[in-house]
Amino acid sequence: MAINLPNLPYAKEALAPYISANTLDFHYGKHHKAYVDNLNKLIEGTELAGKSLEEIIKIAAKDSSKTGIFNNAAQVWNHSFYWQCLKKGGGKTPSGAIAAKINAAWGSFDKFAEELKNAGMTQFGSGWSWLVLDGGQLKITKTANADTPIAHGPKPLLTIDVWEHAYYLDYQNRRPDYLAAVIQNLINWDFVNSNLG
Ligand code: MN
């Protein structure tokens, strides 16, 4: 069974003006699709065909001969997760269990938001900023290129893609403006809360 490209959970216009339909056309329709297509070609006829995406990531992460498979599989997972982390009318301050946990860990939502933005800004080159649950503690982390917490143990709660393809059409080199716009306007806190369970 092949790995599928999941549907976007909203229309391509839904995240404008913060992320344009043009960006989603390329980011979802070309980049994410290419990772899915590449992965299916790489695993076809191998012992990884038929395994779940998470299993493929964990197996390939431990095998230096499978770097290409790891990169494509992790990028498939990371993008599918990232789309769900966003929604029209999202952002603002969270409610529910995640709000209490963020306040307990960082003292205020503003401090948390500043650190999440900083993780994305300081990721040199391509990568991802994350909110994860690690040993019961909330932590902000960043990963380079395709790397993903799924390969290492911490449970992802939220991610923001900081590859240039995520923002260059809308913000050119202004990664901090993209991060601020996503955090303030697009984070789907209901999805983040659901990941705590
Ligand atoms: Mn991306």
Side-chain angles (χ1 to χ4, degrees):
M1 194 179 74
I3 300 295
N4 291 316
L5 177 67
N7 292 327
L8 264 187
Y10 30 72
K12 286 197 179 139
E13 301 76 23
L15 306 181
Y18 311 110
I19 295 175
S20 66
N22 193 28
T23 288
L24 286 180
D25 262 339
F26 281 92
H27 196 181
Y28 169 76
K30 305 287 186 193
H31 291 276
H32 192 182
K33 181 177 187 300
Y35 296 127
V36 173
D37 292 345
N38 289 339
L39 178 61
N40 281 320
K41 279 184 206 143
L42 287 166
I43 64 174
E44 189 179 359
T46 76
E47 74 281 8
L48 295 177
K51 294 203 183 296
S52 73
L53 185 57
E54 289 80 359
E55 286 176 304
I56 293 169
I57 290 168
K58 285 172 184 167
I59 292 166
K62 291 184 228 150
D63 183 345
S64 61
S65 74
K66 293 185 168 61
T67 301
I69 290 172
F70 176 81
N71 286 338
N72 283 283
Q75 283 294 79
V76 171
W77 194 96
N78 289 349
H79 283 90
S80 299
F81 189 76
Y82 168 63
W83 306 132
Q84 296 179 81
C85 289
L86 309 176
K87 72 168 187 178
K88 182 184 182 71
K92 305 175 191 70
T93 54
S95 56
I98 196 70
K101 283 184 174 290
I102 284 172
N103 284 331
W106 284 279
S108 71
F109 176 75
D110 287 349
K111 180 67 179 158
F112 159 80
E114 182 188 321
E115 291 204 14
L116 181 63
K117 183 180 169 190
N118 196 48
M121 283 166 54
T122 58
Q123 173 51 43
F124 186 78
S126 296
W128 301 81
S129 59
W130 301 89
L131 174 65
V132 300
L133 198 56
D134 186 2
Q137 302 285 316
L138 289 190
K139 289 182 184 168
I140 289 170
T141 62
K142 56 190 175 182
T143 59
N145 299 318
D147 200 13
T148 179
I150 293 294
H152 308 288
K155 180 178 169 59
L157 303 177
L158 164 68
T159 195
I160 304 176
D161 188 342
V162 296
W163 285 57
E164 284 187 346
H165 66 219
Y167 59 86
Y168 220 83
L169 294 174
D170 298 324
Y171 299 88
Q172 293 77 50
N173 61 319
R174 291 176 285 116
R175 188 191 288 187
D177 291 355
Y178 155 75
L179 284 160
V182 168
I183 293 167
Q184 288 163 21
N185 302 289
L186 294 180
I187 291 178
N188 183 347
W189 288 110
D190 293 335
F191 178 68
V192 180
N193 264 310
S194 75
N195 291 327
L196 277 175

